[in-house]
Amino acid sequence: MVDKVINIQNIAKSVSTGRRSEKLEILHGVSLAANVGEFLSIVGPSGSGKSTLLHCMSGLSKPTSGSVNILGIDPYKLRPAKSAVFRRTKVGFIFQSYNLLPALTAFDNIVLPLRLSRKKVDKAKIYQLLKSINFDANPDSFVSSLSGGERQKVAIARVLVSNCKVIFADEPTGALDSVSGKIIFGLLRDLTKQGVCVVMVTHDIEMAARTDRAITLRDGKLRKILNKPNAQELFEALSDEEK
Ligand SMILES: Nc1ncnc2c1ncn2[C@@H]1O[C@H](COP(=O)(O)OP(=O)(O)OP(=O)(O)O)[C@@H](O)[C@H]1O
């Protein structure tokens, strides 16, 4: 078994600003590893590079330099077909842009990865899961007709049925009411108990305080790593960051 589910070394990311050859350096040499069954949170001020780091470490946005390894694989070295299978079967994404297909129903979005992998679809189980996360809309509604929070729940349900080993989540509960947020957090926590590794970007200090390890970022640099963080420590670390 691969012990380090994620291993990133010295990641830097710069993007072109569109003005002549100007580059904006977003990440500067971030190194990090995550273990089987670990729940990791990434916190930091707005604009500190959290989402960029998550995109780079999840295989969605190639860093300018440095290495990324997920489950022993460099996702940036995979050919397109293998990369699609890797993303569909090994890694789950809960991102703010949802990445849902608006022309499909909520149910069809959830089962699409299963169908593409020719896996069995248990309709009753998926309806039950939707109920358990307080999804009140009709699962046969088109995603385009759903609210932001309902779409977020569809994206979460799609990851929860996928059996992936690693989940990258960017503010997974950001669009949700607090009761639904707690339920989703509980489900992610249950998955880590089954060995899934979850990496979550969040602004919610109380939630970060219930993860196994919190990483604080500032100006694209890793600042502190807090093991078994508590809310007080996180507030202090973040108010240091704001100064
Ligand atoms: N493609 C891009 N082109 C130009 N600038 C970018 C690009 N992506 C990110 N940035 C800038 O890089 C910085 C870090 O962005 P990022 O979204 O990673 O921060 P964040 O910590 O997730 O912020 P927030 O908490 O507000 O979501 C920001 O200043 C952002 O405007």
Side-chain angles (χ1 to χ4, degrees):
M1 190 181 4
V2 185
D3 224 24
K4 297 283 176 222
V5 177
I6 304 167
N7 198 343
I8 62 169
Q9 289 296 323
N10 221 9
I11 282 193
K13 177 79 175 176
S14 57
V15 292
S16 166
T17 60
R19 270 194 259 150
R20 295 194 186 153
S21 55
E22 256 180 46
K23 295 259 180 202
L24 173 71
E25 309 270 344
I26 304 178
L27 296 175
H28 310 264
V30 179
S31 300
L32 189 61
N35 301 307
V36 170
E38 190 172 28
F39 203 148
L40 212 73
S41 50
I42 301 175
V43 294
S46 186
S48 55
K50 303 180 295 295
S51 296
T52 305
L53 175 60
L54 200 68
H55 278 84
C56 286
M57 73 195 287
S58 63
L60 291 184
S61 174
K62 193 172 185 203
T64 315
S65 59
S67 66
V68 175
N69 194 295
I70 307 171
L71 299 164
I73 289 167
D74 178 343
Y76 297 107
K77 291 209 172 124
L78 293 175
R79 289 171 182 273
K82 288 211 162 159
S83 173
V85 173
F86 179 74
R87 287 181 191 175
R88 200 169 67 228
T89 58
K90 305 276 191 228
V91 187
F93 303 95
I94 307 172
F95 279 9
Q96 279 160 348
S97 53
Y98 308 120
N99 203 14
L100 300 174
L101 299 174
L104 294 185
T105 65
F107 181 81
D108 285 340
N109 264 284
I110 293 166
V111 301
L112 185 63
L114 298 177
R115 285 188 175 141
L116 288 171
S117 302
R118 297 193 169 79
K119 286 192 183 148
K120 193 171 158 275
V121 172
D122 185 337
K123 191 169 178 180
K125 201 171 154 193
I126 289 164
Y127 272 60
Q128 181 55 41
L129 170 67
L130 285 170
K131 204 170 160 210
S132 76
I133 60 174
N134 286 349
F135 181 82
D136 294 326
N138 183 342
D140 294 324
S141 314
F142 289 105
V143 157
S144 53
S145 70
L146 299 177
S147 71
E150 287 161 351
R151 288 182 204 192
Q152 183 74 320
K153 287 178 184 173
V154 174
I156 289 164
R158 186 178 50 183
V159 167
L160 294 174
V161 299
S162 73
N163 264 332
C164 56
K165 300 276 176 254
V166 192
I167 295 176
F168 295 99
D170 197 348
E171 293 278 0
T173 60
L176 305 181
D177 60 275
S178 66
V179 174
S180 299
K182 283 191 180 123
I183 294 171
I184 301 299
F185 183 87
L187 289 170
L188 290 173
R189 178 42 102 191
D190 288 347
L191 287 176
T192 63
K193 288 181 188 150
Q194 294 160 35
V196 176
C197 173
V198 178
V199 183
M200 171 181 76
V201 166
T202 185
H203 282 283
D204 185 331
I205 298 301
E206 300 293 336
M207 210 164 262
R210 283 184 279 131
T211 61
D212 300 321
R213 199 151 52 107
I215 311 297
T216 70
L217 265 194
R218 181 178 186 172
D219 297 334
K221 292 190 189 121
L222 200 154
R223 294 292 292 250
K224 280 193 178 143
I225 298 181
L226 301 169
N227 288 312
K228 302 267 173 236
N230 63 49
Q232 182 63 29
E233 277 177 320
L234 277 161
F235 275 120
E236 281 167 16
L238 286 174
S239 48
D240 283 351
E241 302 296 305
E242 306 278 359
K243 278 176 198 158

